[in-house]
């Protein structure tokens, strides 16, 4: 009997040592789950996001970890996002502060008194990052405290178990004492099972001590071997049930894919299995093999799924590699056209959209390197574009200075109040220069144009106002001259009243009246000359020659009043040239007439030439008359 009990104790020792192998398997499972989760963390270039997008990103992460059921993985991911955003934020803060300082120095001439307050989005990102970091720290501090508490609980349980084992080995117990001892032992087991994990450096030692004390306890309780056997059979039944649960999970894969939830369920069942006591020796290994095979089904499915994921990751990598290779030429692109830069930007943004649309993950190292190169290529393109627009903005600043100068010149012309051909031509030249200058910065585009247009419009409005006054004066002069002509015409009808003195009075009055509108000048002059001729003809005491001389003098005075000496000389030369041309034409036509034979055709030609000669003679006489008037005027 003693030998059987010793063999039973040895069997129990082997059974109770089994959890050590289970712990190792659990660590492997957790490692696989951790690796899977880490591989699912996407690589993001936060420098491509705006402040508003960074705020939204952090708020989403914060909302995910504020829940009571937030896991360590979620906190770790959120903290990694916050750390990545923080790096970009430091760059943004430095850039914003430097820009503000530069503006402050340009405005004040020094850095003294400079204070800078970051905008609302920047402060919001700071606040969210600190809150995420605080939640993560609080979580891990809580975990450490919980583990420390669990360590103290398990240490105390080991003390109770050791005292119970020592008491069992030194005293003789009756049935009541053995029962109370057994109840205390089961209670310790339940409390041990309920206690959570402890820090890994202590976990192995605690379990080894616990299993050793369990072995000692059962060695001291040979008398309760049968009770132990009953407990083992119960453990066997419970382990069989757990095997069935894991097997059901494996069968469920026929109708659904492997998920993290399935592995979590298997892990919870694993926890229950390892906390159960040993089964009968003949069933212990069989149960373990059955449980392990059921777990292997899940692990194999998970590994197969991971193999498919690796294939999918490789495909994603190859597709994204093609996108990266397509944008590499953009990094060296250069142009002097805004339109061309915008067209290229549209093209590269289409490639970025393709990149973002590929949601799958890539192999960790290769994907991380490719993502880094892709976003670096995008950044290079936009840096080059930014440099182009910075240079363009500098040129526009130069154009703004030039247009400011033109505004000042136009305003200076306007301020003189002068209105003459020289100033008008200067304003027109300023307008031509304005058109030749390129664009200015967008924010000054309307104000600088309005300023220049206002000065030019004011000048020409002033000019038009003066011209209206002159036109009104010319219209009044036209009315006066018309009235004078009508009086001359009326006086010519009364031959008894016509005299040279009245003619002189008419001529003096005509000369005293100013200019008339240009469009009416020739007509009113012709009517005036005609009225003078009529009036002179009506003076009875004058001879024909005196009348011609009087008319000629009137015409000379009219020409002298209306033209400058320079214009008179030019007209004299033009009339002489026309006279010479007409005289030559008349001589040629007269010479040609003598050669025409007598026929119906030649008679028509001769008549045509005679008509031309008659018209030319009339023009010649008129030109000679004009020449005489101009010579008298000169």
């Amino acid at each position: 009997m003693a030998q059987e009990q010793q063999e039973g104790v040895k069997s129990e020792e082997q059974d109770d040592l089994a959890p050590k192998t289970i712990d190792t398997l659990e660590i492997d499972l957790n490692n696989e789950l951790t690796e899977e989760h880490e591989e699912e963390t996407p690589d993001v270039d936060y420098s491509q996001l705006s402040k508003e997008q960074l705020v939204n990103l952090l708020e989403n992460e914060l909302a995910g970890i504020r829940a009571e059921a937030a896991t360590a993985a979620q906190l770790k991911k959120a903290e990694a996002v916050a750390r990545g955003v923080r790096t970009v934020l430091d760059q943004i803060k430095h850039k914003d502060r430097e820009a503000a300082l530069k503006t402050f120095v340009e405005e004040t001439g020094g850095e003294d008194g400079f204070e800078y307050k970051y905008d609302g989005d920047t402060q919001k990102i700071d606040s969210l990052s600190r809150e995420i970091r605080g939640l993560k720290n609080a979580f891990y501090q809580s975990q450490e405290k919980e583990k420390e508490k669990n360590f103290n609980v398990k240490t105390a349980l080991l003390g109770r178990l050791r005292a119970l084992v020592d008491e069992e080995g030194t005293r003789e117990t009756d049935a009541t004492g053995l029962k109370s001892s057994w109840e205390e032992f089961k209670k310790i087991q339940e409390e041990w099972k309920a206690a959570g994990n402890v820090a890994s450096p202590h976990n192995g030692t605690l379990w080894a001590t616990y299993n050793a004390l369990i072995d000692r306890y059962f060695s001291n309780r040979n008398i309760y071997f049968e009770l132990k056997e009953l407990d083992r059979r119960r453990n066997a039944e419970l382990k069989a049930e757990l095997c069935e649960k894991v097997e059901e999970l494996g069968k469920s894969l026929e109708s659904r894919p492997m998920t993290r939830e399935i592995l979590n369920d298997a892990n919870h069942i694993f926890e229950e299995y390892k906390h159960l006591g040993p089964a009968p020796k003949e069933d212990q290994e069989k149960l373990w093999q059955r449980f392990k095979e059921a777990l292997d089904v899940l692990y194999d499915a998970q590994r197969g799924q991971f193999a498919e994921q690796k294939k999918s990751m490789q495909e994603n990598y190859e597709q994204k590699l093609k996108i990266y290779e397509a944008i590499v030429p953009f990094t060296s692109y250069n142009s002097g056209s805004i339109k061309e830069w915008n067209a290229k930007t549209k093209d590269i943004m289409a490639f970025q959209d393709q990149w973002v649309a590929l949601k799958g993950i890539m192999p960790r190292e290769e994907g991380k390197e490719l993502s880094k190169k892709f976003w670096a290529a995008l950044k290079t393109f936009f840096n080059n574009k930014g440099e182009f627009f910075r240079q363009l903005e500098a040129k526009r600043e130069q154009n703004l200075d030039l247009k400011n100068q033109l505004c000042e010149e136009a305003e200076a012309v306007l301020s003189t109040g002068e209105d003459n051909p020289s100033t008008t031509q200067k304003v027109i030249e300023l307008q031509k220069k304005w058109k030749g200058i390129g664009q200015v910065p967008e924010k000054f585009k309307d104000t600088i144009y309005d300023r220049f247009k206002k000065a030019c419009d004011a000048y020409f409005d002033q000019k038009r106002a003066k011209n209206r006054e002159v036109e009104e004066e010319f219209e009044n002069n036209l009315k006066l001259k018309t009235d004078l002509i009508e009086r001359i015409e009326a006086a010519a009808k009364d031959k008894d009243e016509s005299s040279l003195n009245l003619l002189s009075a008419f001529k003096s009055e005509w000369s005293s009246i100013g200019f008339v509108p240009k469009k009416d000048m020739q007509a009113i002059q012709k009517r005036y000359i005609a009225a003078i001729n009529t009036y002179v003809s009506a003076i009875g005491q004058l001879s024909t020659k005196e009348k011609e001389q009087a008319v000629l003098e009137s015409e000379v005075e009219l020409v002298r009043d209306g033209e400058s000496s320079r214009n008179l000389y030019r007209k004299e030369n033009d009339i002489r040239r026309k006279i010479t041309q007409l005289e030559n034409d008349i001589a040629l036509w007269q010479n040609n007439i003598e050669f025409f034979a007598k026929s119906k055709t030649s008679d028509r030609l001769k008549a045509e030439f005679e008509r031309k000669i008659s018209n030319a003679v009339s023009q010649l006489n008129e030109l000679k008359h004009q020449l005489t008037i101009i010579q008298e005027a000169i």
Side-chain angles (χ1 to χ4, degrees), residues 376-557:
L378 278 180
K379 193 171 184 179
T380 299
F381 171 81
F382 285 106
N383 284 342
N384 293 341
K385 180 182 177 182
E387 181 61 28
F388 164 75
F389 278 99
R390 280 191 290 275
Q391 294 178 2
L392 181 64
E393 193 66 17
K395 177 63 178 175
R396 289 184 174 183
E397 289 289 345
Q398 295 177 3
N399 294 340
L400 178 62
D401 292 339
L402 294 175
K403 288 192 173 183
N404 275 323
Q405 293 176 10
L406 295 183
C407 289
E408 292 171 359
E409 293 183 35
E411 290 163 352
V413 171
L414 178 63
S415 64
T416 63
E418 296 181 2
D419 173 21
N420 53 57
S422 175
T423 56
T424 300
Q425 185 61 33
K426 183 173 182 180
V427 173
I428 293 173
E429 290 297 325
L430 292 176
Q431 290 176 324
K432 290 180 180 179
K433 290 180 180 180
W434 180 278
K435 292 179 180 179
I437 299 173
Q439 294 182 343
V440 301
E442 191 67 24
K443 61 181 179 180
F444 299 110
K445 178 181 178 181
D446 293 335
T447 54
I448 192 68
Y449 173 76
D450 291 342
R451 179 186 175 188
F452 183 73
K453 185 175 183 297
K454 180 180 178 182
C456 293
D457 289 348
Y459 174 80
F460 287 108
D461 288 344
Q462 176 181 290
K463 181 178 178 66
R464 280 190 288 270
K466 291 182 179 179
N467 289 341
R468 279 195 295 271
E469 294 176 1
V470 173
E471 288 173 0
E472 289 175 0
E473 181 182 351
F474 283 7
E475 289 291 341
N476 186 52
N477 292 340
L478 176 63
K479 183 177 180 181
L480 293 174
K481 286 188 175 183
T482 301
D483 292 341
L484 176 59
I485 290 171
E486 290 175 352
R487 286 191 281 117
I488 294 173
E489 292 172 344
K493 294 178 181 179
D494 188 358
K495 295 184 178 181
D496 296 334
E497 295 296 329
S498 300
S499 65
L500 287 175
N501 291 334
L502 188 57
L503 177 63
S504 298
F506 286 148
K507 290 164 65 177
S508 297
E509 185 177 350
W510 177 271
S511 298
S512 66
I513 300 173
F515 294 105
V516 299
K518 190 173 183 179
K519 62 184 178 64
D520 300 310
M521 186 171 63
Q522 291 186 355
I524 199 69
Q525 286 178 348
K526 287 182 179 179
R527 185 178 176 186
Y528 171 72
I529 293 298
I532 291 296
N533 288 342
T534 302
Y535 184 82
V536 171
S537 298
I539 300 175
Q541 66 267 34
L542 295 178
S543 64
T544 301
K545 185 174 182 181
E546 289 174 336
K547 290 179 180 180
E548 290 179 352
Q549 182 65 30
V551 171
L552 180 62
E553 288 176 357
S554 298
E555 293 180 355
V556 168
E557 290 175 359

Side-chain angles (χ1 to χ4, degrees), residues 60-106:
N60 290 338
E61 293 295 333
L62 189 58
I65 64 174
R66 276 177 173 162
E68 294 182 1
T71 63
Q74 289 176 314
L75 286 161
K76 182 178 180 182
K77 175 178 175 293
E79 201 273 335
V81 171
R83 186 168 58 252
V85 170
R86 184 70 188 183
T87 302
V88 174
L89 180 64
D90 290 341
Q91 298 173 358
I92 294 174
K93 290 169 68 176
H94 178 74
K95 181 179 178 182
D96 290 351
R97 188 182 187 282
E98 288 300 314
L101 178 59
K102 181 179 179 182
T103 302
F104 181 85
V105 171
E106 290 176 351

Side-chain angles (χ1 to χ4, degrees), residues 18 32 34 136 205 219 243 260 287 311 325 372 389 439 450 487 598:
E32 289 188 25
T34 302
K136 189 235 10 176
T205 302
S219 297
C243 288
R260 186 172 182 81
L287 287 170
K311 181 180 178 182
E325 291 173 347
K372 183 178 180 181
F389 278 99
Q439 294 182 343
D450 291 342
R487 286 191 281 117
K598 290 185 177 182

Side-chain angles (χ1 to χ4, degrees), residues 251-402:
K251 291 177 181 178
S252 70
L253 298 179
E254 296 176 359
S255 59
R256 60 172 177 169
M258 169 60 70
T259 62
R260 186 172 182 81
E261 287 72 18
I262 294 176
L263 290 175
N264 286 336
D265 291 342
N267 196 31
H268 292 319
I269 296 173
F270 214 167
E271 283 289 325
E272 291 185 49
Y273 190 95
K274 75 177 185 178
H275 282 91
L276 289 175
K281 182 178 180 181
E282 63 273 13
D283 299 326
Q284 179 76 1
E285 186 62 24
K286 293 179 181 178
L287 287 170
W288 170 242
Q289 289 301 323
R290 179 183 175 187
F291 190 81
K292 186 176 181 300
E293 288 173 2
L295 285 178
D296 287 343
V297 172
L298 300 179
Y299 295 155
D300 291 342
Q302 195 267 346
R303 294 187 187 97
Q305 188 180 65
F306 183 69
E308 288 296 324
Q309 288 179 348
K310 287 187 67 175
K311 181 180 178 182
S312 176
M313 288 190 293
Q314 186 62 33
E315 291 175 354
N316 287 336
Y317 175 79
E318 292 174 357
Q319 292 180 21
K320 287 194 173 183
L321 179 61
K322 291 179 181 179
I323 296 175
Y324 165 70
E325 291 173 347
I327 70 167
V328 168
F330 286 77
T331 59
S332 58
Y333 176 77
N334 193 16
S335 173
S337 168
I338 296 177
K339 184 177 180 181
E340 291 177 359
W341 270 108
N342 289 336
K344 280 294 180 183
T345 301
K346 186 176 180 181
D347 293 341
I348 201 170
M349 290 304 294
F351 284 117
Q352 182 179 341
D353 291 341
Q354 293 178 27
W355 178 280
V356 175
L358 292 173
K359 297 296 184 181
I361 59 178
M362 297 182 289
R364 172 174 289 275
E365 295 302 324
E366 296 89 338
K368 186 175 182 180
E369 182 64 24
L370 181 60
S371 294
K372 183 178 180 181
K373 292 196 294 185
F374 175 81
W375 294 110
L378 278 180
K379 193 171 184 179
T380 299
F381 171 81
F382 285 106
N383 284 342
N384 293 341
K385 180 182 177 182
E387 181 61 28
F388 164 75
F389 278 99
R390 280 191 290 275
Q391 294 178 2
L392 181 64
E393 193 66 17
K395 177 63 178 175
R396 289 184 174 183
E397 289 289 345
Q398 295 177 3
N399 294 340
L400 178 62
D401 292 339
L402 294 175

